[in-house]
Amino acid sequence: MQRSVLVCVCAAAAVLGGARAGRHDAYSSSAVFGVQLRNTSDLELLHNLELNLDLDMWQYGMPQVRDAMVMVPPHARGKFLSALDKEGVSHYMHVENVTQALETHDEDIARWKSSRAPRLIFQDYMRYADINAEMERIAGRHPNLVTLVNAGKSFEGRDIKYLKISTTNFEDHSKPIYFMEAMIHAREWVTTPVAMYSVYRLVENRRSQDQDLLDDIDWIILPLVNPDGYETASGVRQDRPTRLLTPPASEWTAIELRRSHGVGTPTNPCAITYAGARPFSEPETGYVRDILAEHKDRVQIFMDIHSHGNYVLFAYGDGTLPPNALPIFLVGSAMGAAMDAMKLPQAGFYRVGNSATVLYSTSGSAQDYGQVAGAAMSYTLELPGYGYGFLVPPSYQDHINEETWQGIAVTARLSRQLYRDRYSAANTQR
Ligand SMILES: *[C@@H]1O[C@H](CO)[C@@H](O)[C@H](O)[C@H]1NC(C)=O
Ligand SMILES: *[C@@H]1O[C@H](CO)[C@@H](O)[C@H](O)[C@H]1NC(C)=O
């Protein structure tokens, strides 16, 4: 299937647009509504509206805890509001003019870029080439510790690279592997900096109290899974039409899972939640699959980093649980608590749980794929949005990086202990 078929002018596209006058005009009459959810019926109603009206969920709410945020185009507004009113669901205007919000975000970024220089790679929304150059530089400077791997080409021919970080060249099988990936979804700009900051804290800015994280654990860090989408989305200096490539995202595979999912995955390639033509129809997800396959027995944690909403979620998307759900939940809770300890007042507390229970049913997520593909513990991490949705001003990035690193460090240490137990059990049986 030609990917060009999948290139759609979708509402979400402009969320990532640039400062060029008129770029965000497609949104001038789109608004983001807050919806107060009373219970799971309301959640379900909203999810159905999302699918039927092809709405763009900025935040999946939680009944009694957290309002949903949903972007509604003008042609759907009437149907959307009357469906909510009919069921007595309260709603309010959160962002009246999305175009204006996008322009404000562009201005924030421009101001940020000019306010203080030079910036480190993880303090800004850097471009694909900058991120690759930084990975090359780090690998070049630390050849005994860091290996740069080129997984292969993206659909549009960009190299997809990741770093392997190890004091023992990945040869010591008594160490667990921590596999982190970011930016499957191109508009989630805060995610790649978190991955790059983790590299920084492990390699170039390692603190003595974190030496164990390097000595005891092997790391695989893939900071930009979807460079095509990201370059399109962040192409503020390019004269590109507003568009959104189908994220090579959520297409991990009903087939591999041998599960009869199919809940909530539209077949319309222009739908925001479209899952791809078939499992692994995009090369990008295939590389992640290959990394998981290569290190099948050693990946203790697979952390798929997204934005936004303050969630630590785990498998499966249909609400069933893996056999080790309890330790997965405990490690996820420790992560949430570590991040909450640093949270800004305007952020929600992290919510931890099974993704279908906490949010809604999904199929074919990376989290589910990671869990069945051999990672002992597979998570979806949704970073804070601070009420800005995907348009988090870059001035928050330092805080997000540090807070998330604390969570990552906690999960890494717990995973080390769990892996050691698993490893020694396996080796005494022999
Ligand atoms: C949710 O609340 C509405 C309004 O009170 C009610 O009609 C509905 O039955 C509730 N659903 C559940 C599952 O409790
Ligand atoms: C939304 O904001 C933009 C940019 O500020 C403006 O040009 C446009 O007219 C606004 N749209 C509406 C419907 O007010």
Side-chain angles (χ1 to χ4, degrees), residues 25 27-29 97-100 103:
D25 288 357
Y27 301 88
S28 62
S29 306
N97 182 335
V98 172
T99 306
Q100 207 165 41
E103 286 174 4

Side-chain angles (χ1 to χ4, degrees), residues 38-42 87-88:
R38 295 164 302 186
N39 56 31
T40 51
S41 314
D42 291 352
E87 299 300 326

Side-chain angles (χ1 to χ4, degrees), residues 4 56 59 73 83 89 134-135 167-168 243 251 254 290 294 305 312 333 337 349 354 360 363-364 368 373 390 392:
S4 56
D56 185 4
Q59 173 165 295
V89 181
E134 178 70 0
M135 288 201 283
T167 55
T168 45
R243 60 175 191 168
E251 47 191 56
D290 294 346
E294 184 183 346
I305 305 178
V312 180
S333 300
F349 285 97
N354 167 263
Y360 61 95
S363 69
D368 280 10
F390 303 104
V392 180

Side-chain angles (χ1 to χ4, degrees), residues 186-220:
R187 61 175 162 177
E188 299 174 353
W189 292 9
V190 298
T191 62
T192 289
V194 164
M196 294 305 290
Y197 184 70
S198 302
V199 173
Y200 178 69
R201 287 298 297 266
L202 285 166
V203 179
E204 303 221 289
N205 186 243
R206 190 168 56 256
R207 321 239 163 122
S208 55
Q209 72 269 22
D210 287 343
Q211 184 62 38
D212 61 320
L213 295 177
L214 189 68
D215 291 342
D216 301 348
I217 296 163
D218 286 350
W219 296 79
I220 296 174

Side-chain angles (χ1 to χ4, degrees), residues 15-305:
V15 166
L16 300 166
R20 184 169 293 274
R23 269 191 78 124
H24 307 314
D25 288 357
Y27 301 88
S28 62
S29 306
S30 284
V32 177
F33 288 92
V35 180
Q36 287 169 354
L37 304 165
R38 295 164 302 186
N39 56 31
T40 51
S41 314
D42 291 352
L43 199 59
E44 209 169 298
L45 170 70
L46 196 61
H47 190 46
N48 287 333
L49 289 172
E50 177 198 6
L51 299 178
N52 295 335
L53 302 175
D54 193 24
L55 303 178
D56 185 4
M57 295 300 290
W58 280 32
Q59 173 165 295
Y60 292 91
M62 292 180 75
Q64 312 281 348
V65 172
R66 192 170 290 170
D67 294 349
M69 279 160 53
V70 51
M71 183 162 79
V72 183
H75 62 84
R77 188 183 290 196
K79 278 185 191 157
F80 174 73
L81 293 178
S82 63
L84 294 181
D85 290 339
K86 187 160 159 273
E87 299 300 326
V89 181
S90 304
H91 53 79
Y92 54 90
M93 185 72 86
H94 180 69
V95 179
E96 189 164 3
N97 182 335
V98 172
T99 306
Q100 207 165 41
L102 290 163
E103 286 174 4
T104 304
H105 190 234
D106 291 342
E107 287 157 18
D108 283 344
I109 293 171
R111 207 177 308 117
W112 180 249
K113 284 188 190 297
S114 62
S115 66
R116 182 156 61 91
R119 240 165 247 294
L120 295 170
I121 192 99
F122 45 79
Q123 295 176 313
D124 202 348
Y125 301 143
M126 296 291 188
R127 301 295 298 275
Y128 161 79
D130 302 324
I131 294 158
N132 269 0
E134 178 70 0
M135 288 201 283
E136 269 164 38
R137 188 190 66 76
I138 292 168
R141 281 182 64 172
H142 306 274
N144 297 328
L145 202 55
V146 182
T147 310
L148 179 66
V149 182
N150 189 349
K153 300 271 187 212
S154 68
F155 184 85
E156 292 182 355
R158 294 184 178 87
D159 291 327
I160 296 179
K161 298 184 179 181
Y162 62 90
L163 295 176
K164 292 170 79 176
I165 302 172
S166 172
T167 55
T168 45
N169 197 29
F170 273 69
E171 284 162 7
D172 181 350
H173 286 235
S174 71
K175 293 184 186 181
I177 291 173
Y178 197 117
F179 179 13
M180 181 193 313
E181 64 164 26
M183 197 81 79
I184 282 188
H185 293 150
R187 61 175 162 177
E188 299 174 353
W189 292 9
V190 298
T191 62
T192 289
V194 164
M196 294 305 290
Y197 184 70
S198 302
V199 173
Y200 178 69
R201 287 298 297 266
L202 285 166
V203 179
E204 303 221 289
N205 186 243
R206 190 168 56 256
R207 321 239 163 122
S208 55
Q209 72 269 22
D210 287 343
Q211 184 62 38
D212 61 320
L213 295 177
L214 189 68
D215 291 342
D216 301 348
I217 296 163
D218 286 350
W219 296 79
I220 296 174
I221 300 182
L222 170 49
L224 186 44
V225 183
N226 179 8
D228 296 349
Y230 184 64
E231 278 302 275
T232 302
S234 68
V236 290
R237 280 149 284 174
Q238 297 170 41
D239 189 16
R240 298 244 195 153
T242 303
R243 60 175 191 168
L244 183 68
L245 293 172
T246 303
S250 17
E251 47 191 56
W252 301 81
T253 175
I255 289 174
E256 259 82 351
L257 289 169
R258 294 200 196 333
R259 288 165 161 262
S260 51
H261 282 296
V263 187
T265 47
T267 47
N268 166 15
C270 286
I272 290 157
T273 46
Y274 177 64
R278 59 182 184 282
F280 301 110
S281 59
E282 315 290 316
E284 295 83 351
T285 45
Y287 301 138
V288 176
R289 173 198 58 201
D290 294 346
I291 294 169
L292 283 164
E294 184 183 346
H295 302 287
K296 196 170 167 19
D297 300 321
R298 285 183 57 207
V299 178
Q300 184 65 31
I301 294 202
F302 174 56
M303 188 65 63
D304 183 29
I305 305 178

